[in-house]
Amino acid sequence: MMAKNRHSRLLSVLPTLFAILLATPAIAAERPVDYRAEIRPILSNRCFRCHGPDADERAGGFRLDQKASALAEADSGERPIVPGDRASSELYRRITTTDLDERMPPVESHKNLTAEEIENIGLWIDQGAPWSEHWSHVLPVRHATPDIESTASKNWPSNWIDHFILARLHREGIAPSPEADRVTLCRRLYFDLLGLPPTPEQVRQFVDDNSAGAYERLVDKLLASPHFGERMATHWLDLVRFADTVGYHGDQDHSITPYRDWVIDAINDNMPVDQFTREQLAGDLLADSTIDQKIASGYNRLLQTSHEGGVQPKEYLAMYAADRVRNVSAVWMGATLGCAQCHDHKFDPYTMKDFYSMAAMFADIDESAHLARGTNSVPTDRDPEIEVVSRRQRQALDALENKVVAIRKEIIELATDDIVQRAELYDQFNKLRSERDALRATSHPRRTMITVGIKPRVTRILPRGNWLDESGPIVEPAVPEFLGETGVEGRRANRLDLANWLVDAERGAGALTARVFANRYWYLFFGNGLATVMDDLGGQGEPPSHPELLDRVALELVDNGWDAKQLVKLLVSSQTYRQASLEPSALVERDPGNRLLARQSRYRLPAESVRDTALVISGLLVSDVGGASVKPYQPAGLYRHLNFPTRVYKHHPDNRQWRRGLYMHWQRQFLHPMLKAFDGPRREECTAQRPRSNTPVAALTLLNDPTFIEAARVFAERIQLQQPTGGAQRDADRIDDAYLIAVSRRPDDVEKSELRRLLEFSRQHYAANPEAARALINIGQAPKESALDEVELASWVAVTRAILNLSETITRN
């Protein structure tokens, strides 16, 4: 048996060994090896587990994540790395030896190196083993704009971003793609900045505007739209795991929707990212904290909680602390500090002390009420909470109240006995007071969780993360040691100190935070981050494809006062952004992941935008901004396994049904099937990047979800009413209209022919089955156009369902 295992181990490494033996020896001067991009990822993936930051798992008495240790003598007396001499380097000997008992990584780890990786390590050693810290732990540098050769495209470059992209493309011998046509650019901007498709009229206005600055004016218009905040908020809510329910146990509703409104308003107001950070982490600690800042502090309450009567407070306080550390480190640091809960991080320099010191930052958050009083009510009680009306309602009420007070003062101070003037003032006073009272009556307050600080709980390092083991040392609030200090002296650091440190580019981690945010903004407008692993910029992530560009974008954000809208405008104004996404096959084969950015990315819209697109096309969308969550149609019985309490889902029977997907009720344990079909996250943890699947379930959802059927029916009514008379030409005109509304172009001859065939087939089918026609058009609650023939309407619904199901309809090009 041992011989058999040994033979299988030998066979697993033979291909690599033969490749090494047959390879032509490389000359060190041929190509400089990039340590950050080519060597450190190999060491992190294959070696750091046993020769990295975790002292408890470290073998051989040396580390490969630290230069001094890697160049010094190990326990064996050998030096792992001898710069300039691979033959004398124990690391190189162990990764190339044919002795399976000495070979590294161990064969049983299934982490064998490829011949190319081994040769790169050897080449790197021969070149002197030049070392650098991990890229995301090093402050960004303002790299000079690269000089570029002339390009065949007259539009390149548009701004300095294009210089970085073109310089890399020229080195690779690749030409950039031409600019996308104006219809595509218009649709791209609407989807990227608003999450909504443009109307035919909006497309026509842009296409027909050939004046200088037309593109910039469209960008400015969309950035000023209130729907911009909704679009960007969708991504932020994924990051901070916003949901309408508690997550654990009974997954009861909790009260938090005013926080979502705050996020939308903050983005629309272009609140600087540093202030955006402070108000969420520590809005309650700011001087003269406002209602909005208290609402923002609800960020600290977004985690999953349990309201079971038998909850162990110590256990759940430890769980909540760990959740907060995971989220704040992922959102603001692009880090996996949560991996240091039970042991030192195996790939990055985070220690258990770092983890629990960060947890201590949040030890003042009041959790006593809900832990002491578990309730099965819906919504559950999660004190501390406050009742608020929306900011717009508060502003309107304040304005009316100020006018009432001013008129009252004017009446009191009126020196004249002019009866007419006094009567006019009383009339104004009574009118304004009535307006104020009416607004109060219709301004329905909502409860929302906030953060209230109490005397901080004692925080200890929990051995192996065990909340029952209190033998670990007490720690004070602090940031990860290798990243510096908060600068607080003479008192305990708090959440506001943490927030300030996260955004202080001079004395704290602000420049590193800016790099995390810059990478995310790039992802939103190009389909991938410059560093593709969005939630882990550490050792297990991927180095950026354009590190100098990422640094420059990060510093641009800081230097412009953390102005997010200005950064967005810079990105979408680049020629890199404006490229076509339909690329030649040769380019795809050479760069399938589009890391070189020689083209734009093409991908399916996020779940919420898929829904919103259907509602816009049909004309059903209710575009009100802000408010409570809404409940659209959902399959019956989906909540049958929910208990404590048992409940039955009831969709809203009014026009709340047609609000944007951003406002859909987010049930963590039983996410709405439409959101799930299009990769919406459950928001139990930070989601920095959604997957993009392509499944039959998604197509069936577009065909059969009552929301989409009803959208298709109203869409069919719309195009019939636009072209009211019948006949073959009218059918063709209606199909043209439908395509223009849905995808901003007219169908080609093949598409038009196929849809006319579908229409004729449907007419025959529904004429023979009028009950089926009646059932189809009576799904849902939107008002019906009674004057339309049922069979004809059902036949056109078949056409509009097909159009809503087109890839082009739900794809951002």
Side-chain angles (χ1 to χ4, degrees), residues 324-511:
R324 290 187 173 112
V325 171
R326 289 196 302 272
N327 193 259
V328 76
S329 65
V331 174
W332 277 274
M333 300 166 65
T336 53
L337 183 51
C339 294
Q341 179 179 359
C342 304
H343 50 72
D344 290 348
H345 203 294
K346 295 188 180 299
F347 305 102
D348 295 319
Y350 301 110
T351 64
M352 285 184 73
K353 182 180 178 183
D354 291 335
F355 176 91
Y356 288 98
S357 296
M358 180 68 79
M361 289 284 189
F362 300 92
D364 68 323
I365 296 175
D366 186 2
E367 301 283 8
S368 57
H370 92 263
L371 287 172
R373 189 181 69 251
T375 76
N376 290 334
S377 60
V378 175
T380 190
D381 293 327
R382 280 199 63 192
D383 287 331
E385 298 177 327
I386 57 174
E387 278 198 346
V388 294
V389 295
S390 74
R391 189 181 71 165
R392 293 166 187 76
Q393 291 169 329
R394 274 182 279 129
Q395 290 172 340
L397 284 169
D398 289 345
L400 284 171
E401 184 63 35
N402 290 336
K403 289 179 181 178
V404 168
V405 171
I407 294 293
R408 183 188 295 120
K409 183 178 179 181
E410 192 174 346
I411 291 172
I412 293 172
E413 295 176 351
L414 187 65
T416 178
D417 291 330
D418 188 328
I419 298 175
V420 175
Q421 186 177 359
R422 187 176 292 276
E424 289 176 351
L425 287 174
Y426 270 112
D427 285 344
Q428 291 180 45
F429 177 78
N430 290 329
K431 182 180 179 181
L432 287 168
R433 189 171 58 176
S434 297
E435 286 182 31
R436 180 200 61 189
D437 294 344
L439 183 57
R440 280 178 179 169
T442 57
S443 299
H444 303 295
R446 286 175 283 154
R447 294 185 65 79
T448 192
M449 297 178 288
I450 62 170
T451 301
V452 172
I454 58 174
K455 180 181 178 181
R457 295 175 288 275
V458 173
T459 302
R460 296 178 179 273
I461 294 177
L462 301 179
R464 300 184 65 82
N466 182 1
W467 63 275
L468 291 170
D469 188 343
E470 297 186 339
S471 64
I474 293 174
V475 293
E476 294 298 311
V479 298
E481 189 172 347
F482 80 96
L483 290 175
E485 299 177 344
T486 60
V488 173
E489 296 181 358
R491 63 172 175 82
R492 177 188 174 98
N494 59 32
R495 286 176 281 114
L496 183 56
D497 299 316
L498 171 61
N500 287 331
W501 176 81
L502 284 168
V503 295
D504 187 338
E506 295 183 1
R507 295 173 296 275

Side-chain angles (χ1 to χ4, degrees), residues 187 191 195-198 605-621 660-661 708 711 715 718 741-743 803-804 808-811:
R187 288 179 63 83
F191 280 131
L196 302 170
L605 297 172
E608 297 91 333
S609 289
V610 171
R611 167 187 165 87
D612 297 345
T613 294
L615 296 181
V616 169
I617 290 170
S618 66
L620 281 171
L621 182 72
R660 292 194 66 169
F708 291 96
F715 185 21
R718 177 181 179 182
I741 293 168
V743 295
I803 292 173
L804 291 181
E808 188 175 354
T809 305
I810 60 170
T811 296

Side-chain angles (χ1 to χ4, degrees), residues 699-733:
L700 291 170
T701 298
L702 286 175
L703 278 176
N704 299 315
D705 184 310
T707 295
F708 291 96
I709 293 178
E710 195 155 1
R713 196 253 309 155
V714 177
F715 185 21
E717 291 177 351
R718 177 181 179 182
I719 60 176
Q720 281 188 275
L721 293 172
Q722 284 184 193
Q723 301 283 354
T725 57
Q729 184 57 47
R730 280 291 177 258
D731 289 347
D733 291 342

Side-chain angles (χ1 to χ4, degrees), residues 3-19:
K4 182 178 180 181
N5 289 339
R6 189 170 181 84
H7 290 157
S8 64
R9 292 168 67 199
L10 179 61
L11 289 171
S12 69
V13 299
L14 277 178
T16 299
L17 295 177
F18 281 129

Side-chain angles (χ1 to χ4, degrees), residues 532-554:
T532 56
V533 183
M534 306 292 298
D535 56 356
D536 185 4
L537 302 188
Q540 290 300 96
E542 291 288 335
S545 57
H546 299 72
E548 296 85 3
L549 173 57
L550 182 55
D551 278 6
R552 181 78 175 268
V553 175

